[in-house]
């Protein structure tokens, strides 16, 4: 007869425990869930009691999903430092072996002050198990092909296989791409040459840059609200500002970070849950994207490493079009200020308004063409009339550029496209090196800490607060001015009516509320 006392205790991986918890969350009876997974009611109760711990481990991605025990490492700070380094290397598709990890661990241990730490094979195996890392042997030929970067075979393989599986269950309305770009928001035409190719890892120019995250779907019917990251958390120009055409966050480098990206993801996930939608989100594997939170309504698909230049729709013309429109807005501002002898620089508030306006102005046809170019949605017949019409604004922009370039003494070898692409090489997310990993382990350094209020912007004069009465009068003046112009499009009057209605609704509500308050106070 078998001895029950010798029965081997079953262990569950983190992934299995989360499936049990999700089954209970779906509305199933606890007794049925216990039977389905072959566990006792007491084990089920333990899983539910520890769910917060499991969710935290998943959110931090600090353990592999197949791991069954969650005991911390003996040298926990070394473990965290090595894992942070490994994630950065993995995101860049750099191949590493066990011996390389052990050497890096010894190096980081020395920097942390551990003289007795030994990066043994046993430590490496435990490190791999803790974080769910699989180290595979790679032949030299495969290694060379991967390290050489972009390969046509890799792109074709993705088009023929993985992307077909990813998009199979989604309509173009529910397939999204998100990506970041850097913007020198105070860049003037005459400084284009100095900015070209600058990565801006810090220093003085960090105060003059923003990072913007954009997201749109494959049908071009939905562009999400931009997320803009600056250096100053509370710039003077945003004082008393409660509504912006984007979300604004700040940290000391004006970079995208894992925390900021995950916060944005969770907000999108919550919106999709309220709308009862499920979406596919395609992203690259930059360092800010490699530790994602648990998502309910978003399936994340990673684009192949080193292939975003030909596979990422936003990189194939959408962001470039946004920058063309932004720089065009900037040129118009500069031209107006030249005539009035004002300072040509813009502040963060003005830059945010122009970036958002440029983003919303990107046409649906442009978005769809870029998704087709990426090979993610089928190519349809191009509208030749639309393409001919799109060349007309380009002529107007070139005339505007020549006027500003002449007035600001821009060198003749610099053209408008140089001005548009001057900040294309900006770094948009943190790149970890050993000297940055260690302070984070020792002092818990927060890369999301913003710069000071004064450092993040130019010292432009503070604008006086505008009352609602002044705003209504301005609309009336604008309406009067337009009535003296010839050939004003109906759409312009329609937009003006919309602004007028919003302001009147707001002032009426304010008056009604104040009257009610006055009435209650007299009682």
């Amino acid at each position: 007869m078998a001895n029950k006392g010798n029965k081997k205790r079953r262990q569950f991986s983190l992934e299995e425990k989360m499936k049990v918890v999700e089954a209970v969350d779906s509305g199933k009876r606890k007794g049925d869930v216990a039977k389905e997974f072959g566990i006792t009611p007491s084990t089920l109760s333990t899983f539910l009691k520890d769910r917060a711990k499991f969710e935290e481990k998943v959110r931090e991605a600090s353990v592999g999903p197949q791991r069954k025990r969650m005991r911390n490492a003996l040298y926990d700070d070394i473990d965290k430092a090595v894992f942070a380094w490994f994630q950065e290397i993995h995101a860049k598709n750099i191949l590493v072996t066990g011996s390389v990890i052990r050497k890096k661990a010894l190096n980081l241990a020395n920097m942390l002050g551990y003289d007795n730490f030994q990066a043994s094979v046993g430590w490496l195996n435990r490190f791999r198990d803790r974080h769910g890392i699989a180290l595979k042997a790679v032949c030299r030929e495969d290694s060379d092909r991967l390290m050489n970067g972009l390969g046509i075979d890799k792109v074709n393989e993705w088009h023929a296989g993985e992307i077909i599986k990813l998009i199979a269950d989604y309509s173009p309305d529910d397939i999204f791409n998100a990506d970041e770009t850097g913007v020198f928001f105070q860049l003037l035409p005459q400084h284009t040459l100095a900015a070209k190719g600058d990565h801006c890892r810090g220093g003085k120019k960090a105060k003059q840059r923003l990072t913007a995250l954009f997201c749109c779907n494959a049908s071009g019917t939905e562009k999400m609200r931009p997320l803009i990251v600056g250096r100053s958390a509370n710039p003077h120009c945003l004082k008393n500002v409660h509504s912006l055409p984007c979300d604004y966050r700040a940290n000391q480098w004006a970079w995208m970070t894992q925390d900021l990206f995950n916060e944005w993801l969770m907000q999108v996930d919550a919106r999709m849950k309220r709308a009862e939608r499920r979406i596919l989100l395609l992203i690259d594997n930059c360092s800010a994207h490699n530790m994602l939170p648990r998502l309910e309504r978003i399936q994340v698909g990673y684009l192949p490493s080193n292939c975003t230049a030909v596979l990422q729709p936003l990189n194939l013309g959408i962001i470039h079009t946004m920058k063309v429109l932004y720089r065009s807005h900037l040129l118009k501002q500069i031209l107006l200020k030249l005539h009035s002898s004002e300072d040509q620089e813009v502040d963060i508030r003005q830059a945010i308004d122009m970036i958002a306006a440029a983003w919303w102005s990107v046409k649906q046809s442009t978005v769809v063409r870029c998704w087709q170019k990426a090979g993610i949605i089928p190519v349809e017949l191009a509208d030749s009339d639309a393409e001919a019409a799109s060349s007309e604004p380009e002529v107007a922009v070139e005339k505007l550029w020549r006027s500003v370039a002449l007035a600001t003494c821009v060198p003749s070898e610099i053209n408008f496209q140089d001005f548009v692409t001057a900040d294309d090489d900006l770094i948009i997310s943190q790149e970890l090196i050993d000297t940055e990993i260690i302070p984070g382990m020792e002092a818990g350094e927060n890369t999301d800490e913003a710069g000071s209020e004064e450092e993040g912007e130019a010292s432009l004069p503070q604008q006086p607060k505008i009352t609602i009465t002044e705003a209504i009068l301005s609309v009336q003046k604008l309406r009067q001015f337009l009535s003296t112009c010839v050939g004003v499009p109906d759409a312009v009057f329609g937009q003006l009516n919309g602004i007028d209605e919003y302001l009147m609704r707001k002032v009426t509500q304010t008056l009604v509320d104040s009257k009610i308050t006055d009435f209650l106070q007299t009682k």
Side-chain angles (χ1 to χ4, degrees):
M1 183 181 291
N3 187 352
K4 290 185 178 180
N6 293 331
K7 185 178 179 181
K8 187 176 180 181
R9 184 179 177 184
R10 182 181 172 188
Q11 289 189 328
F12 295 86
S13 69
L14 181 61
E15 185 178 32
E16 290 169 331
K17 291 173 183 176
M18 287 306 302
K19 282 182 179 177
V20 172
V21 173
E22 286 171 357
V24 174
D25 288 346
S26 69
K28 293 182 180 179
R29 293 176 55 193
K30 292 181 181 178
D32 294 339
V33 172
K35 286 180 183 178
E36 180 184 343
F37 288 91
I39 58 176
T40 63
S42 61
T43 301
L44 176 60
S45 298
T46 302
F47 287 178
L48 294 174
K49 184 179 70 175
D50 292 340
R51 67 179 299 160
K53 191 189 301 182
F54 302 154
E55 289 171 351
E56 182 66 21
K57 292 291 183 183
V58 171
R59 187 161 50 249
E60 292 177 353
S62 59
V63 298
Q66 304 301 323
R67 188 176 164 202
K68 296 183 177 180
R69 303 181 71 184
M70 290 185 290
R71 186 181 299 165
N72 288 336
L74 180 61
Y75 295 96
D76 195 42
D77 43 359
I78 297 176
D79 189 271
K80 288 178 180 177
V82 176
F83 187 55
W85 164 82
F86 178 82
Q87 285 181 306
E88 183 74 16
I89 293 298
H90 182 67
K92 294 177 181 177
N93 202 34
I94 296 174
L95 302 172
V96 291
T97 62
S99 61
V100 171
I101 293 177
R102 291 168 63 193
K103 286 177 183 176
K104 176 57 68 173
L106 285 171
N107 184 32
L108 292 172
N110 185 50
M111 294 176 72
L112 285 165
Y114 291 103
D115 297 328
N116 299 323
F117 173 76
Q118 292 182 346
S120 62
V121 173
W123 172 87
L124 175 64
N125 291 335
R126 290 190 295 275
F127 174 78
R128 290 167 53 187
D129 291 342
R130 274 192 293 275
H131 300 289
I133 297 170
L135 300 175
K136 298 178 182 179
V138 181
C139 68
R140 183 173 183 82
E141 182 181 346
D142 288 340
S143 175
D144 290 344
R145 187 171 66 83
L146 287 171
M147 296 302 286
N148 284 338
L150 180 63
I152 192 66
D153 292 342
K154 197 174 181 183
V155 173
N156 290 339
E157 183 182 337
W158 191 73
H159 277 148
E162 189 172 349
I163 188 58
I164 293 175
K165 294 176 185 175
L166 282 172
I167 67 175
D169 298 327
Y170 297 93
S171 73
D173 288 346
D174 295 324
I175 303 172
F176 287 80
N177 176 219
D179 192 30
E180 300 89 353
T181 187
V183 181
F184 277 135
F185 72 94
Q186 291 181 335
L187 180 65
L188 298 175
Q190 59 268 36
H191 299 150
T192 299
L193 199 59
K196 193 76 174 171
D198 192 338
H199 295 288
C200 190
R201 288 183 170 87
K204 204 172 187 180
K205 285 189 178 177
K207 303 173 187 178
Q208 303 165 6
R209 64 158 291 165
L210 300 169
T211 295
L213 179 147
F214 300 107
C215 184
C216 63
N217 67 357
S219 64
T221 57
E222 189 173 351
K223 296 200 292 283
M224 291 191 187
R225 184 181 176 89
L227 169 62
I228 294 179
V229 184
R231 191 171 186 272
S232 175
N234 300 295
H236 289 302
C237 59
L238 295 184
K239 191 176 181 181
N240 297 321
V241 173
H242 305 294
S243 295
L244 287 171
C246 69
D247 294 322
Y248 179 78
R249 298 291 183 270
N251 59 55
Q252 60 182 333
W253 302 113
W255 282 345
M256 181 58 67
T257 64
Q258 289 176 354
D259 287 344
L260 290 180
F261 185 71
N262 287 351
E263 179 193 358
W264 176 81
L265 264 183
M266 294 297 287
Q267 290 172 352
V268 175
D269 193 56
R271 285 204 304 272
M272 295 304 151
K273 189 174 182 179
R274 288 194 297 270
E276 297 184 346
R277 288 176 69 187
R278 291 189 181 276
I279 66 169
L280 171 67
L281 178 65
L282 301 175
I283 56 175
D284 59 32
N285 58 0
C286 82
S287 57
H289 300 169
N290 61 17
M291 285 181 65
L292 303 185
R294 185 175 180 78
L295 303 167
E296 295 182 38
R297 298 287 176 155
I298 301 175
Q299 179 185 354
V300 175
Y302 282 102
L303 297 162
S305 302
N306 304 318
C307 295
T308 55
V310 294
L311 291 179
Q312 179 145 253
L314 281 160
N315 277 358
L316 290 171
I318 299 172
I319 285 178
H320 179 76
T321 301
M322 183 284 303
K323 286 194 173 184
V324 167
L325 294 167
Y326 172 71
R327 300 290 185 208
S328 301
H329 285 310
L330 193 57
L331 288 177
K332 291 170 188 173
Q333 291 278 349
I334 292 169
L335 196 60
L336 288 171
K337 290 179 178 182
L338 284 171
H339 283 284
S340 60
S341 301
E342 291 182 45
D343 191 339
Q344 295 174 29
E345 287 189 341
V346 298
D347 59 25
I348 291 176
R349 164 82 182 276
Q350 294 168 323
I352 283 173
D353 287 340
M354 288 191 288
I355 289 171
W359 173 239
W360 299 123
S361 299
V362 176
K363 295 178 180 177
Q364 180 181 356
S365 58
T366 301
V367 173
V368 172
R369 270 199 305 273
C370 293
W371 279 87
Q372 291 172 341
K373 206 174 182 182
I376 297 173
I377 61 172
V379 178
E380 297 173 359
L381 291 175
D383 187 342
S384 57
D385 292 337
E387 288 181 4
S390 68
S391 64
E392 293 175 11
E394 292 176 10
V395 174
V397 170
E398 285 297 335
K399 288 181 180 177
L400 180 62
W401 166 258
R402 284 197 293 271
S403 299
V404 174
L406 191 64
T408 57
C409 303
V410 176
S412 58
E413 65 269 22
I414 301 297
N415 58 36
F416 180 62
Q417 282 304 314
D418 292 326
F419 185 46
V420 170
T421 60
D423 44 24
D424 280 1
D425 293 325
L426 284 183
I427 288 179
I428 51 87
S429 63
Q430 185 180 24
E431 293 186 334
L432 293 178
I433 56 176
D434 292 354
T435 53
E436 293 171 326
I437 293 172
I438 297 304
M441 297 302 108
E442 291 178 334
E445 183 182 14
N446 184 6
T447 56
D448 284 343
E449 183 180 344
S452 68
E453 186 174 304
E454 294 79 10
E455 289 177 334
E457 57 178 316
S459 55
L460 300 178
Q462 188 172 346
Q463 297 297 319
K465 187 176 180 181
I466 299 172
T467 66
I468 194 163
T469 304
E470 290 172 331
I472 292 170
L473 288 173
S474 296
V475 173
Q476 292 173 353
K477 285 183 180 179
L478 187 55
R479 195 187 297 278
Q480 187 178 354
F481 167 75
L482 289 174
S483 66
T484 65
C485 299
V486 179
V488 179
D490 291 341
V492 173
F493 286 112
Q495 291 166 351
L496 200 59
N497 288 336
I499 296 171
D500 196 25
E501 286 174 14
Y502 170 77
L503 292 173
M504 292 306 294
R505 206 164 45 240
K506 191 170 179 63
V507 75
T508 302
Q509 188 61 50
T510 303
L511 290 171
V512 169
D513 291 345
S514 64
K515 289 295 181 184
I516 293 172
T517 305
D518 293 343
F519 174 75
L520 291 173
Q521 287 176 346
T522 58
K523 286 290 185 180

